[in-house]
Amino acid sequence: QVRLVESGGGLVQTGGSLRLSCAASGRPFSSYAMGWFRQAIGKEREFVAAISWSGANTYYADSVKGRFTISRDNAKNTVYLQMNSLKPEDTAVYYCAVKGLEGSYNNYDHYDYWGQGTQVTVSA
């Protein structure tokens, strides 16, 4: 079992920045890949970014490429999402998740454990 706790969400103006954190516990953090997803009101959950277990490989949705950066600190059992140049369309609840051994990084069905989410609101 893995427990994930997100933090760092909030209200920010267009063009601003936020850094989300996701603290993991329950099993060796460095053994699994991690991802961030988001879900806006009335929309399906969508892939944002993912990172391999070592941090050597990262993956991004086209909509956030060049603005968001995913990273991890295995010594602190934490994964981060640095979000810059935020836009109103980035408004959503952001979730971190543990990826299973198989499947693609951008498919939420391939993730086994989820946090409770943190709200990000970008005002125009």
Side-chain angles (χ1 to χ4, degrees), residues 73-101:
D73 186 337
N74 287 344
K76 295 182 178 180
N77 291 351
T78 301
V79 63
Y80 304 96
L81 185 68
Q82 177 67 44
M83 305 186 296
N84 299 328
S85 302
L86 282 161
K87 305 175 182 180
E89 51 263 44
D90 294 318
T91 294
V93 177
Y94 283 70
Y95 300 89
C96 68
V98 174
K99 187 182 175 302
L101 294 178

mmCIF file of all heavy atoms in Angstrom, residues 73-101:
data_model
loop_
_atom_site.group_PDB
_atom_site.id
_atom_site.type_symbol
_atom_site.label_atom_id
_atom_site.label_comp_id
_atom_site.label_asym_id
_atom_site.label_seq_id
_atom_site.Cartn_x
_atom_site.Cartn_y
_atom_site.Cartn_z
ATOM 1 N N ASP A 73 12.798 13.715 -5.580
ATOM 2 C CA ASP A 73 13.887 13.579 -4.619
ATOM 3 C C ASP A 73 13.645 12.266 -3.886
ATOM 4 O O ASP A 73 12.824 12.211 -2.962
ATOM 5 C CB ASP A 73 13.905 14.766 -3.666
ATOM 6 C CG ASP A 73 15.093 14.748 -2.731
ATOM 7 O OD1 ASP A 73 15.665 13.674 -2.497
ATOM 8 O OD2 ASP A 73 15.442 15.819 -2.206
ATOM 9 N N ASN A 74 14.350 11.233 -4.294
ATOM 10 C CA ASN A 74 14.107 9.916 -3.707
ATOM 11 C C ASN A 74 14.532 9.847 -2.234
ATOM 12 O O ASN A 74 13.993 9.048 -1.466
ATOM 13 C CB ASN A 74 14.815 8.839 -4.518
ATOM 14 C CG ASN A 74 14.116 8.585 -5.851
ATOM 15 O OD1 ASN A 74 12.963 8.982 -6.038
ATOM 16 N ND2 ASN A 74 14.803 7.930 -6.772
ATOM 17 N N ALA A 75 15.454 10.692 -1.835
ATOM 18 C CA ALA A 75 15.858 10.721 -0.431
ATOM 19 C C ALA A 75 14.747 11.278 0.454
ATOM 20 O O ALA A 75 14.661 10.947 1.638
ATOM 21 C CB ALA A 75 17.125 11.542 -0.270
ATOM 22 N N LYS A 76 13.887 12.121 -0.123
ATOM 23 C CA LYS A 76 12.783 12.725 0.623
ATOM 24 C C LYS A 76 11.438 12.092 0.290
ATOM 25 O O LYS A 76 10.400 12.551 0.768
ATOM 26 C CB LYS A 76 12.724 14.224 0.338
ATOM 27 C CG LYS A 76 13.935 14.995 0.831
ATOM 28 C CD LYS A 76 13.788 16.485 0.570
ATOM 29 C CE LYS A 76 14.981 17.261 1.111
ATOM 30 N NZ LYS A 76 14.853 18.723 0.858
ATOM 31 N N ASN A 77 11.454 11.058 -0.557
ATOM 32 C CA ASN A 77 10.203 10.382 -0.957
ATOM 33 C C ASN A 77 9.176 11.370 -1.498
ATOM 34 O O ASN A 77 7.975 11.281 -1.192
ATOM 35 C CB ASN A 77 9.597 9.623 0.229
ATOM 36 C CG ASN A 77 10.431 8.434 0.635
ATOM 37 O OD1 ASN A 77 11.377 8.051 -0.058
ATOM 38 N ND2 ASN A 77 10.117 7.856 1.773
ATOM 39 N N THR A 78 9.646 12.284 -2.306
ATOM 40 C CA THR A 78 8.773 13.356 -2.781
ATOM 41 C C THR A 78 8.963 13.591 -4.279
ATOM 42 O O THR A 78 10.098 13.562 -4.774
ATOM 43 C CB THR A 78 9.059 14.661 -2.011
ATOM 44 O OG1 THR A 78 8.847 14.432 -0.612
ATOM 45 C CG2 THR A 78 8.128 15.780 -2.462
ATOM 46 N N VAL A 79 7.846 13.840 -4.959
ATOM 47 C CA VAL A 79 7.875 14.246 -6.354
ATOM 48 C C VAL A 79 7.283 15.652 -6.429
ATOM 49 O O VAL A 79 6.385 15.999 -5.661
ATOM 50 C CB VAL A 79 7.105 13.253 -7.243
ATOM 51 C CG1 VAL A 79 5.636 13.193 -6.887
ATOM 52 C CG2 VAL A 79 7.273 13.596 -8.706
ATOM 53 N N TYR A 80 7.819 16.449 -7.350
ATOM 54 C CA TYR A 80 7.423 17.845 -7.470
ATOM 55 C C TYR A 80 6.894 18.145 -8.860
ATOM 56 O O TYR A 80 7.242 17.475 -9.838
ATOM 57 C CB TYR A 80 8.627 18.762 -7.205
ATOM 58 C CG TYR A 80 9.295 18.536 -5.883
ATOM 59 C CD1 TYR A 80 10.427 17.718 -5.786
ATOM 60 C CD2 TYR A 80 8.810 19.123 -4.724
ATOM 61 C CE1 TYR A 80 11.059 17.507 -4.568
ATOM 62 C CE2 TYR A 80 9.434 18.914 -3.502
ATOM 63 C CZ TYR A 80 10.556 18.101 -3.433
ATOM 64 O OH TYR A 80 11.160 17.886 -2.220
ATOM 65 N N LEU A 81 6.078 19.188 -8.940
ATOM 66 C CA LEU A 81 5.657 19.712 -10.225
ATOM 67 C C LEU A 81 5.789 21.236 -10.158
ATOM 68 O O LEU A 81 5.001 21.894 -9.484
ATOM 69 C CB LEU A 81 4.217 19.320 -10.555
ATOM 70 C CG LEU A 81 3.749 19.738 -11.955
ATOM 71 C CD1 LEU A 81 4.507 18.940 -13.016
ATOM 72 C CD2 LEU A 81 2.245 19.512 -12.121
ATOM 73 N N GLN A 82 6.818 21.753 -10.814
ATOM 74 C CA GLN A 82 7.015 23.190 -10.901
ATOM 75 C C GLN A 82 6.210 23.706 -12.070
ATOM 76 O O GLN A 82 6.411 23.261 -13.205
ATOM 77 C CB GLN A 82 8.494 23.522 -11.081
ATOM 78 C CG GLN A 82 8.794 25.000 -11.246
ATOM 79 C CD GLN A 82 8.499 25.795 -9.999
ATOM 80 O OE1 GLN A 82 8.832 25.391 -8.895
ATOM 81 N NE2 GLN A 82 7.861 26.956 -10.156
ATOM 82 N N MET A 83 5.315 24.643 -11.802
ATOM 83 C CA MET A 83 4.415 25.156 -12.836
ATOM 84 C C MET A 83 4.669 26.652 -13.015
ATOM 85 O O MET A 83 4.465 27.430 -12.077
ATOM 86 C CB MET A 83 2.959 24.909 -12.433
ATOM 87 C CG MET A 83 2.660 23.453 -12.124
ATOM 88 S SD MET A 83 0.909 23.132 -11.829
ATOM 89 C CE MET A 83 0.634 24.101 -10.353
ATOM 90 N N ASN A 84 5.128 27.013 -14.194
ATOM 91 C CA ASN A 84 5.400 28.414 -14.525
ATOM 92 C C ASN A 84 4.474 28.887 -15.638
ATOM 93 O O ASN A 84 3.850 28.071 -16.326
ATOM 94 C CB ASN A 84 6.858 28.574 -14.961
ATOM 95 C CG ASN A 84 7.844 28.190 -13.885
ATOM 96 O OD1 ASN A 84 7.585 28.348 -12.686
ATOM 97 N ND2 ASN A 84 8.994 27.672 -14.301
ATOM 98 N N SER A 85 4.405 30.197 -15.810
ATOM 99 C CA SER A 85 3.583 30.787 -16.878
ATOM 100 C C SER A 85 2.173 30.204 -16.874
ATOM 101 O O SER A 85 1.642 29.802 -17.919
ATOM 102 C CB SER A 85 4.252 30.556 -18.238
ATOM 103 O OG SER A 85 5.544 31.109 -18.267
ATOM 104 N N LEU A 86 1.572 30.162 -15.714
ATOM 105 C CA LEU A 86 0.259 29.529 -15.576
ATOM 106 C C LEU A 86 -0.815 30.296 -16.335
ATOM 107 O O LEU A 86 -0.779 31.526 -16.445
ATOM 108 C CB LEU A 86 -0.100 29.413 -14.104
ATOM 109 C CG LEU A 86 0.614 28.265 -13.382
ATOM 110 C CD1 LEU A 86 0.589 28.465 -11.877
ATOM 111 C CD2 LEU A 86 -0.004 26.926 -13.756
ATOM 112 N N LYS A 87 -1.779 29.521 -16.838
ATOM 113 C CA LYS A 87 -2.881 30.061 -17.620
ATOM 114 C C LYS A 87 -4.200 29.675 -16.956
ATOM 115 O O LYS A 87 -4.251 28.666 -16.239
ATOM 116 C CB LYS A 87 -2.848 29.471 -19.026
ATOM 117 C CG LYS A 87 -1.533 29.648 -19.765
ATOM 118 C CD LYS A 87 -1.559 28.914 -21.093
ATOM 119 C CE LYS A 87 -0.237 29.037 -21.840
ATOM 120 N NZ LYS A 87 -0.266 28.312 -23.135
ATOM 121 N N PRO A 88 -5.267 30.397 -17.217
ATOM 122 C CA PRO A 88 -6.567 30.018 -16.640
ATOM 123 C C PRO A 88 -6.965 28.582 -16.978
ATOM 124 O O PRO A 88 -7.591 27.908 -16.152
ATOM 125 C CB PRO A 88 -7.526 31.028 -17.266
ATOM 126 C CG PRO A 88 -6.689 32.241 -17.495
ATOM 127 C CD PRO A 88 -5.342 31.702 -17.897
ATOM 128 N N GLU A 89 -6.581 28.100 -18.143
ATOM 129 C CA GLU A 89 -6.932 26.728 -18.523
ATOM 130 C C GLU A 89 -6.155 25.675 -17.743
ATOM 131 O O GLU A 89 -6.434 24.487 -17.865
ATOM 132 C CB GLU A 89 -6.752 26.512 -20.032
ATOM 133 C CG GLU A 89 -5.410 26.942 -20.577
ATOM 134 C CD GLU A 89 -5.442 28.333 -21.183
ATOM 135 O OE1 GLU A 89 -6.047 29.241 -20.557
ATOM 136 O OE2 GLU A 89 -4.844 28.515 -22.257
ATOM 137 N N ASP A 90 -5.195 26.090 -16.928
ATOM 138 C CA ASP A 90 -4.500 25.153 -16.040
ATOM 139 C C ASP A 90 -5.286 24.919 -14.748
ATOM 140 O O ASP A 90 -4.900 24.064 -13.937
ATOM 141 C CB ASP A 90 -3.106 25.678 -15.679
ATOM 142 C CG ASP A 90 -2.179 25.747 -16.881
ATOM 143 O OD1 ASP A 90 -2.196 24.806 -17.695
ATOM 144 O OD2 ASP A 90 -1.449 26.751 -16.995
ATOM 145 N N THR A 91 -6.361 25.663 -14.559
ATOM 146 C CA THR A 91 -7.177 25.500 -13.354
ATOM 147 C C THR A 91 -7.760 24.095 -13.296
ATOM 148 O O THR A 91 -8.412 23.635 -14.235
ATOM 149 C CB THR A 91 -8.316 26.540 -13.343
ATOM 150 O OG1 THR A 91 -7.743 27.845 -13.230
ATOM 151 C CG2 THR A 91 -9.256 26.297 -12.177
ATOM 152 N N ALA A 92 -7.518 23.402 -12.184
ATOM 153 C CA ALA A 92 -7.962 22.021 -12.023
ATOM 154 C C ALA A 92 -7.537 21.527 -10.649
ATOM 155 O O ALA A 92 -6.759 22.180 -9.949
ATOM 156 C CB ALA A 92 -7.348 21.126 -13.101
ATOM 157 N N VAL A 93 -8.032 20.352 -10.301
ATOM 158 C CA VAL A 93 -7.483 19.611 -9.170
ATOM 159 C C VAL A 93 -6.339 18.754 -9.720
ATOM 160 O O VAL A 93 -6.524 18.036 -10.706
ATOM 161 C CB VAL A 93 -8.543 18.723 -8.498
ATOM 162 C CG1 VAL A 93 -7.911 17.918 -7.363
ATOM 163 C CG2 VAL A 93 -9.683 19.581 -7.966
ATOM 164 N N TYR A 94 -5.186 18.851 -9.083
ATOM 165 C CA TYR A 94 -4.004 18.128 -9.521
ATOM 166 C C TYR A 94 -3.767 16.934 -8.595
ATOM 167 O O TYR A 94 -3.778 17.092 -7.366
ATOM 168 C CB TYR A 94 -2.791 19.049 -9.526
ATOM 169 C CG TYR A 94 -2.774 19.984 -10.712
ATOM 170 C CD1 TYR A 94 -3.694 21.032 -10.803
ATOM 171 C CD2 TYR A 94 -1.872 19.814 -11.754
ATOM 172 C CE1 TYR A 94 -3.701 21.883 -11.898
ATOM 173 C CE2 TYR A 94 -1.866 20.665 -12.850
ATOM 174 C CZ TYR A 94 -2.782 21.694 -12.922
ATOM 175 O OH TYR A 94 -2.781 22.535 -14.017
ATOM 176 N N TYR A 95 -3.531 15.771 -9.214
ATOM 177 C CA TYR A 95 -3.321 14.538 -8.487
ATOM 178 C C TYR A 95 -1.955 13.948 -8.818
ATOM 179 O O TYR A 95 -1.554 13.948 -9.985
ATOM 180 C CB TYR A 95 -4.370 13.496 -8.873
ATOM 181 C CG TYR A 95 -5.800 13.892 -8.611
ATOM 182 C CD1 TYR A 95 -6.549 14.575 -9.570
ATOM 183 C CD2 TYR A 95 -6.417 13.563 -7.405
ATOM 184 C CE1 TYR A 95 -7.862 14.932 -9.336
ATOM 185 C CE2 TYR A 95 -7.743 13.919 -7.162
ATOM 186 C CZ TYR A 95 -8.442 14.594 -8.128
ATOM 187 O OH TYR A 95 -9.751 14.942 -7.889
ATOM 188 N N CYS A 96 -1.279 13.426 -7.814
ATOM 189 C CA CYS A 96 -0.104 12.620 -8.109
ATOM 190 C C CYS A 96 -0.501 11.145 -7.986
ATOM 191 O O CYS A 96 -1.478 10.803 -7.312
ATOM 192 C CB CYS A 96 1.073 12.951 -7.206
ATOM 193 S SG CYS A 96 0.876 12.493 -5.484
ATOM 194 N N ALA A 97 0.268 10.301 -8.658
ATOM 195 C CA ALA A 97 -0.085 8.889 -8.705
ATOM 196 C C ALA A 97 1.154 8.033 -8.902
ATOM 197 O O ALA A 97 2.149 8.480 -9.494
ATOM 198 C CB ALA A 97 -1.078 8.629 -9.828
ATOM 199 N N VAL A 98 1.070 6.799 -8.436
ATOM 200 C CA VAL A 98 2.121 5.806 -8.608
ATOM 201 C C VAL A 98 1.815 4.962 -9.830
ATOM 202 O O VAL A 98 0.725 4.391 -9.929
ATOM 203 C CB VAL A 98 2.221 4.895 -7.372
ATOM 204 C CG1 VAL A 98 3.214 3.758 -7.621
ATOM 205 C CG2 VAL A 98 2.605 5.699 -6.146
ATOM 206 N N LYS A 99 2.767 4.891 -10.735
ATOM 207 C CA LYS A 99 2.545 4.125 -11.952
ATOM 208 C C LYS A 99 2.800 2.639 -11.718
ATOM 209 O O LYS A 99 3.712 2.247 -10.996
ATOM 210 C CB LYS A 99 3.462 4.624 -13.064
ATOM 211 C CG LYS A 99 3.160 3.981 -14.421
ATOM 212 C CD LYS A 99 4.096 4.455 -15.476
ATOM 213 C CE LYS A 99 3.860 3.706 -16.771
ATOM 214 N NZ LYS A 99 4.019 2.247 -16.596
ATOM 215 N N GLY A 100 1.992 1.809 -12.344
ATOM 216 C CA GLY A 100 2.212 0.379 -12.316
ATOM 217 C C GLY A 100 3.403 -0.014 -13.166
ATOM 218 O O GLY A 100 3.995 0.814 -13.862
ATOM 219 N N LEU A 101 3.737 -1.280 -13.130
ATOM 220 C CA LEU A 101 4.919 -1.753 -13.842
ATOM 221 C C LEU A 101 4.724 -1.753 -15.349
ATOM 222 O O LEU A 101 5.688 -1.634 -16.108
ATOM 223 C CB LEU A 101 5.281 -3.161 -13.365
ATOM 224 C CG LEU A 101 5.723 -3.262 -11.917
ATOM 225 C CD1 LEU A 101 5.998 -4.716 -11.559
ATOM 226 C CD2 LEU A 101 6.958 -2.410 -11.668
#
